[in-house]
Amino acid sequence: MSTAGTETGGHPWRERERPLRLERRVEFDNYEPLREFLDRVAELSESTEVYPNLSFGRTYANLTLFAEEAAEAGAQQVDERLRAFAREVDALLGGRADA
């Protein structure tokens, strides 16, 4: 079963500051496709060792990926590992980064 057909909206990944992070909200018709999506994100997290902060309700999920502080300069950046994870989440939804 694919969650792509039951996603109803939300917003694309957004880069935010203070603290630096990527955020995305995904909305669904009902709880069942949301539950499937959360299970698939959990599997993705285990395989990539990237664990987003998640909050969810009956028909939506909010995902947040926090940037890690760069060891040398003390500067923060959203690294490629987090951006790759975000692309994989989009792929779970049928590639709809703008939903």
Side-chain angles (χ1 to χ4, degrees), residues 11-28:
H11 65 66
W13 289 100
R14 297 178 183 171
E15 190 168 315
R16 304 282 189 167
E17 296 182 2
R18 296 187 190 148
L20 185 60
R21 64 197 181 276
L22 293 176
E23 294 179 336
R24 180 160 189 207
R25 179 181 177 97
V26 184
E27 297 175 356
F28 297 88

Side-chain angles (χ1 to χ4, degrees), residues 23-90:
E23 294 179 336
R24 180 160 189 207
R25 179 181 177 97
V26 184
E27 297 175 356
F28 297 88
D29 289 330
N30 56 58
Y31 181 76
E32 187 61 36
L34 168 65
R35 179 75 253 162
E36 181 183 334
F37 171 72
L38 293 174
D39 289 343
R40 294 177 75 193
V41 169
E43 291 170 3
L44 178 61
S45 289
E46 289 176 7
S47 69
T48 61
E49 296 187 359
V50 174
Y51 297 93
N53 281 15
L54 285 168
S55 63
F56 62 94
R58 191 173 51 126
T59 60
Y60 70 89
N62 293 315
L63 293 89
T64 304
L65 298 166
F66 288 98
E68 296 181 23
E69 209 168 303
E72 294 176 16
Q76 284 190 328
Q77 61 184 4
V78 176
D79 65 18
E80 180 54 31
R81 186 174 72 110
L82 297 182
R83 293 186 189 283
F85 184 88
R87 288 190 298 272
E88 290 293 325
V89 168
D90 292 343

